[in-house]
Amino acid sequence: MVKKANILQSLTVLFFVIAFFEIVSEYLANTLFICTLKPLIPLVLVVLYWISSERKSMLVTAIFLLSMITNMLFIPNTTECLYYALIIFTVHRILVIYLIFILQKIKDIVPVTIATIPFLLIFFYMFMETNEIPENSFYLLILQNILISLFAGVALAGYVMNDNKQNSVLLISVLLFVMLQFTVFIEKYFLVNELQQFFRPLAMTFNALAFFTFYKYVVIAERSNHN
C-alpha cells in the first residue's frame, strides 16, 4: 500500500514541475501551454490539501478554485478580462482574510492596525501615481489595496507577537503575495505592453510559491488549532 507521505511527496514534485513549465510557457508566450498548465497549479494544491488536511475545509477549496478562475481570466490580457479577474480576485481575497482571522484567532486588533498602515501607504502611493487605471476598475483596485494591506498586517502582527512556525509560514506566504501584487500592478498599469516577457514569468513564479506556501500554512494552522 502506498504511504500517504509518498503520495504527498509525489504530488509536491508534480506541482513544482507543472509550475516550472508554466513559468517557461509564460516566458515563451505559448498560449496553448499556458491555458493547459495554469489551471493545474491550484487543482494540484486542492488535491494536496485534501490529502494533507484532517478537516478538509470547503472554504479552503473554494479559495484555490477561485484562484484558478482568476488565473484563467488574466491570460487574455484585455481590459474586460482584467475587470472580471479583479472581481473574482476580490471575492477570493475576502475569503482568504476571513480564513486567516479564523485560523489566527485574532483577539487584539491594535497590532494588526499598526502593522497594516505601512502597507496601505505603499500601495496607495503606487495607486495615486498611476494614470492608466480603467474607470470600471478604480474602486476594485482601492478595495484590493485595502485587502492586501490588511492581509499583510495580520501576518506581520502575528509574526511579531508570536514567532512560531505557523506565523512564520504565513508571513512568507504574505510577502510572496505582496510581491505578486506589485508585479501584476506594475505590468498591468505602469509598463503596459512593455517587458511582458519578464513580468509575466515573474508574476507566475510569485503566484505558484505564494499559493504553495499558503497551502502549507493552512495545514500547519489547522493542526495547531486542532491540538
Side-chain angles (χ1 to χ4, degrees), residues 95-160:
L95 293 180
V96 167
I97 292 173
Y98 175 69
L99 176 66
I100 295 297
F101 269 84
I102 293 174
L103 294 176
Q104 292 296 103
K105 297 182 177 180
I106 297 168
K107 298 177 181 178
D108 189 356
I109 201 68
V110 175
V112 174
T113 303
I114 294 172
T116 300
I117 292 173
F119 293 100
L120 280 172
L121 293 174
I122 294 169
F123 279 108
F124 274 98
Y125 170 76
M126 289 184 62
F127 182 81
M128 296 305 293
E129 290 294 315
T130 307
N131 298 318
E132 302 294 331
I133 296 175
E135 186 176 346
N136 63 354
S137 301
F138 188 85
Y139 293 107
L140 281 172
L141 284 171
I142 290 177
L143 182 55
Q144 278 291 324
N145 286 340
I146 294 171
L147 292 173
I148 187 63
S149 299
L150 178 59
F151 188 21
V154 170
L156 181 59
Y159 177 77
V160 171

Side-chain angles (χ1 to χ4, degrees), residues 63-97:
I63 286 170
F64 286 126
L65 293 180
L66 286 174
S67 166
M68 180 184 71
I69 297 171
T70 305
N71 284 348
M72 294 300 292
L73 287 171
F74 272 127
I75 293 173
N77 199 28
T78 64
T79 303
E80 184 179 6
C81 285
L82 179 59
Y83 173 69
Y84 289 118
L86 284 173
I87 293 175
I88 300 296
F89 194 62
T90 298
V91 176
H92 166 273
R93 185 54 54 77
I94 291 171
L95 293 180
V96 167
I97 292 173

